[in-house]
Amino acid sequence: MRLTRRFLAAGLAAAVAAPAAAQTNVTLTHALPLDSHYGVGAVAFKETVERLTNGRYRVTIQRNDNEREAIEATQIGTQEFTITSTGPVGNFIPDTLVLDIPFLFRDYAHARGVLDSAIGQDLLAKFSARGLVGVAWMENGFRNVTNSRREVAGPADVQGLKIRTMENPVHMRAFQTLGALPTPMAFSELVPALQQGTVDGQENPIPVIVANNLNQVQRYLSLTRHVYSPAVLIGNPAFWNRLNAADKAAFQEAAKAAVKANRDRVTADEQRGVTLLRERGMTVRESVDTAAFQAALAPAFEQYRRQFDAALIQRIIDWKPGS
Ligand code: PAF
């Protein structure tokens, strides 16, 4: 009994004398509200990192709706991670631009399958040559056109519309080819631009339109699903390369948890989003002439085949589960 007490006292003294385990603070940014498909991914990442490292790493989640700036900050190391759409990523890693080609992916299963396959993993490996770490593919979703002027049912309806696009040359080329006036800007500038009429419309996935209440500034939503918008979790190389093997495994596990939470939320938002946006007053056009959009984009497709690796484009199109 006396021995036990002495033992406990010694243990307590040692604990008091021991230096507190060092804690490393890590910042992760993304462009959307906490209650969004990026927000839940970020929280899953944070919780998994902190749990698996017993709190030796603390993750602070911050919002930055200028994705280009967030990538730059991750590159220089003023933050450790960012979740971003591929919108501005092609300006850093041109190989990823192939993923931004309109109508490349048939559906979510196709897009997720390709990104999880060797094709997606090879593209992630290209980030390191550009001073970034491609940690994991996440998801933004299939993009749809919204605007304040008219219902969009086919390509003729976008002609002459001033549409905000991401700072992405592949998307801009597509809208130019359709006869719209693409106006690239950061997401942070979008709502004022819509309010002031600098642009008539924009395009984003249902989860973004819902999370950001874009129904307050746009009347018409058309389910054009004209392009799949991947997202990616990017890390700072100096931070990443300093992690020991066990800690790196913890961050990789956290990335997997983030991908799962993010994709599950996209699926849920796609299921309930249209009803929700109708309830919020949007006029939603569900049937869109996809074949006519694809035909009108033929000159752009021709250019993408010349600009990018045509064999890779074909591998993506031909991808099937198990291939
Ligand atoms: O439109 C964009 O810029 C992106 O889709 C967004 C909303 C920042 C999410 O990545």
Side-chain angles (χ1 to χ4, degrees):
M1 176 70 180
R2 198 177 292 153
L3 196 66
T4 313
R5 233 186 253 137
R6 218 181 287 148
F7 180 73
L8 280 178
L12 193 63
V16 169
Q23 193 177 75
T24 305
N25 292 313
V26 168
T27 300
L28 163 70
T29 68
H30 66 87
L32 298 175
L34 190 61
D35 187 13
S36 69
H37 54 313
Y38 287 1
V40 294
V43 168
F45 183 78
K46 170 185 167 66
E47 286 176 355
T48 311
V49 165
E50 293 178 358
R51 179 169 51 78
L52 294 182
T53 64
N54 294 319
R56 282 182 297 105
Y57 287 89
R58 284 267 165 231
V59 180
T60 303
I61 301 171
Q62 284 171 6
R63 190 169 173 191
N64 180 353
D65 49 8
N66 185 322
E67 294 189 320
R68 185 175 39 76
E69 275 179 18
I71 299 170
E72 281 163 3
T74 309
Q75 204 170 38
I76 8 177
T78 47
Q79 64 182 59
E80 285 74 22
F81 293 98
T82 190
I83 298 170
T84 172
S85 73
T86 49
V89 172
N91 301 319
F92 297 80
I93 302 115
D95 287 291
T96 63
L97 283 169
V98 71
L99 299 174
D100 299 313
I101 295 178
F103 298 109
L104 180 67
F105 295 104
R106 295 180 288 281
D107 51 28
Y108 279 105
H110 182 204
R112 293 172 185 180
V114 168
L115 294 175
D116 293 346
S117 76
I119 300 174
Q121 301 315 297
D122 288 352
L123 285 171
L124 282 182
K126 310 248 183 211
F127 284 56
S128 60
R130 306 285 172 152
L132 289 163
V133 181
V135 182
W137 288 113
M138 296 183 66
E139 181 163 85
N140 195 14
F142 279 92
R143 301 180 81 87
N144 300 292
V145 171
T146 70
N147 79 97
S148 55
R149 298 208 171 259
R150 52 182 175 257
E151 277 195 37
V152 168
D157 303 315
V158 298
Q159 272 173 26
L161 285 183
K162 278 183 274 165
I163 300 206
R164 174 269 173 177
T165 66
M166 297 194 287
E167 296 170 278
N168 181 295
V170 174
H171 291 189
M172 286 166 65
R173 157 76 50 187
F175 279 100
Q176 240 157 22
T177 306
L178 293 172
L181 304 167
T183 311
M185 63 179 80
F187 190 64
S188 49
E189 297 166 37
L190 173 64
V191 170
L194 288 169
Q195 279 165 337
Q196 289 155 19
T198 319
V199 291
D200 304 309
Q202 63 91 46
E203 40 87 59
N204 250 306
I206 296 286
V208 172
I209 301 170
V210 169
N212 290 278
N213 284 309
L214 292 182
N215 47 284
Q216 290 174 354
V217 279
Q218 293 278 265
R219 168 140 180 224
Y220 299 105
L221 162 64
S222 296
L223 301 187
T224 48
R225 297 168 64 84
H226 53 277
V227 68
Y228 175 77
S229 180
V232 59
L233 172 63
I234 298 177
N236 169 260
F239 173 79
W240 190 257
N241 295 332
R242 266 200 314 270
L243 291 171
N244 65 34
D247 288 345
K248 195 173 280 178
F251 276 85
Q252 274 159 340
E253 205 49 42
K256 277 192 204 149
V259 172
K260 180 167 178 4
N262 160 249
R263 286 180 177 174
D264 286 353
R265 178 61 184 263
V266 171
T267 303
D269 281 357
E270 286 280 5
Q271 277 160 6
R272 69 191 177 116
V274 169
T275 308
L276 207 62
L277 292 168
R278 277 205 176 102
E279 281 166 10
R280 292 185 194 168
M282 282 192 109
T283 302
V284 183
R285 168 120 204 160
E286 294 198 41
S287 69
V288 166
D289 193 344
T290 305
F293 270 108
Q294 290 180 343
L297 283 170
F301 290 140
E302 201 38 55
Q303 206 224 309
Y304 302 142
R305 283 193 177 273
R306 280 198 308 272
Q307 185 181 353
F308 304 119
D309 179 351
L312 176 60
I313 298 179
Q314 203 53 49
R315 267 176 77 205
I316 295 176
I317 293 171
D318 293 343
W319 181 91
K320 297 217 166 42
S323 66

